[in-house]
Amino acid sequence: MATVPVKNIKGETVGSIELNDAIFGIEVSEHAVHMAVVQFLANQRQGTKSTKTRAEVRGGGRKPWRQKGTGRARQGSIRSPQWRGGGVIFAPKPRDFSIKLNKKQKRLALKSALTDKVNRDKLVVLDTFELPEIKTKAMVGACEALNAQSALIVTAGSNTNVMLSARNVPGIKTAGVNTINVYDILKYDSFVVTKEAVEQMQEVYA
C-alpha cells in the first residue's frame, strides 16, 4: 500500500495514511478513462437545438413564376433551401446525445484517474477541512498553503462553508465523495481530499 502524508489546512504535515491499492494503486487503463470522459461530455449536451426543414417552414405554397419563358431558373417554392427564409437542408433536430457505460468500466476509469494522481504526487490528504465562516480569502489562503491553485476539493459530507467559500475562486471546485467524476479529477491539477473522505472512498469503491 502507498503511504502519503496527511496535512493540515496550513500545509503542515501532521501524520500519514495508507491508501488501498485496489483504488489508488491499480494499473491505469487509458481506454476506460477516455470512454468515461467521452461519456461525461456527451451527457452534458442538452440536444435541444432545432431548425425547420422545407416541409415545416411557413409559406411557399404557390409557384413563384411559371416554369418556362421567363429566362430565370425554374423554381417551385419561395421556401426552398436556396431561398432566403427557406428551409434548412439536413436540419438539426432535438436528439439524445447520452452514452451508456458499464458500471465496471466507470469504476475502472475512476480508480485509474485516482491512481494517476497518486503516481504524479498530485493527491493531497487533509486531516480535516473546516472554515469557521464563509470567506473567499480564507479559501484562497488555504489553497496557497497547500500549493493547490487548480484543485478539486473533496469532503466527506456537505460542508457549506467550504463549498460557498470556493465558488468564486478560479480553478477550484468542491465535490462530495458520491459526486466526483473522472472528468473533474483530470481537469484539475491537484486532488485535495479529507482523511474522512478517503476512508469513505475506500469503503465504497474497494
Side-chain angles (χ1 to χ4, degrees):
M1 292 187 176
T3 302
V4 296
V6 176
K7 299 183 179 181
N8 59 19
I9 200 171
K10 296 179 182 179
E12 301 166 344
T13 301
V14 294
S16 62
I17 185 174
E18 286 190 351
L19 302 177
N20 190 341
D21 286 343
I23 302 174
F24 297 96
I26 69 167
E27 183 180 349
V28 176
S29 173
E30 293 184 4
H31 175 70
V33 171
H34 169 73
M35 290 305 300
V37 171
V38 169
Q39 186 212 25
F40 178 85
L41 294 176
N43 291 355
Q44 301 307 300
R45 300 182 68 176
Q46 291 183 330
T48 55
K49 61 182 179 180
S50 180
T51 52
K52 293 182 179 180
T53 64
R54 63 178 297 170
E56 298 166 322
V57 74
R58 181 183 172 125
R62 179 174 64 87
K63 189 173 174 67
W65 52 75
R66 59 185 179 155
Q67 182 81 347
K68 294 179 179 291
T70 63
R72 291 178 288 186
R74 57 194 176 189
Q75 300 290 334
S77 170
I78 62 170
R79 290 298 175 250
S80 294
Q82 70 268 24
W83 284 71
R84 180 177 179 273
V88 179
I89 302 174
F90 305 127
K93 290 295 180 183
R95 55 169 288 195
D96 182 15
F97 287 96
S98 64
I99 298 173
K100 291 184 179 179
L101 207 61
N102 294 333
K103 288 183 180 179
K104 285 185 178 180
Q105 196 169 20
K106 280 184 182 179
R107 185 160 291 193
L108 175 61
L110 184 64
K111 292 178 181 180
S112 296
L114 294 173
T115 298
D116 180 65
K117 290 298 181 185
V118 175
N119 294 342
R120 296 194 298 113
D121 293 328
K122 295 297 183 179
L123 178 70
V124 180
V125 181
L126 298 178
D127 57 346
T128 182
F129 201 155
E130 296 292 341
L131 296 177
E133 58 181 335
I134 301 170
K135 201 168 186 67
T136 304
K137 187 176 181 180
M139 175 60 68
V140 172
C143 292
E144 288 178 351
L146 297 170
N147 193 24
Q149 281 70 42
S150 170
L152 176 65
I153 300 173
V154 181
T155 56
S158 178
N159 194 322
T160 304
N161 286 1
V162 172
M163 181 182 69
L164 296 180
S165 298
R167 64 180 176 176
N168 283 336
V169 182
I172 302 297
K173 182 177 180 179
T174 58
V177 173
N178 59 339
T179 61
I180 58 175
N181 60 76
V182 175
Y183 180 79
D184 283 340
I185 294 173
L186 298 179
K187 178 181 177 181
Y188 297 94
D189 187 48
S190 299
F191 186 75
V192 180
V193 58
T194 63
K195 188 176 179 180
E196 186 181 357
V198 171
E199 293 169 353
Q200 282 190 14
M201 290 167 65
Q202 294 185 147
E203 289 178 4
V204 174
Y205 301 118

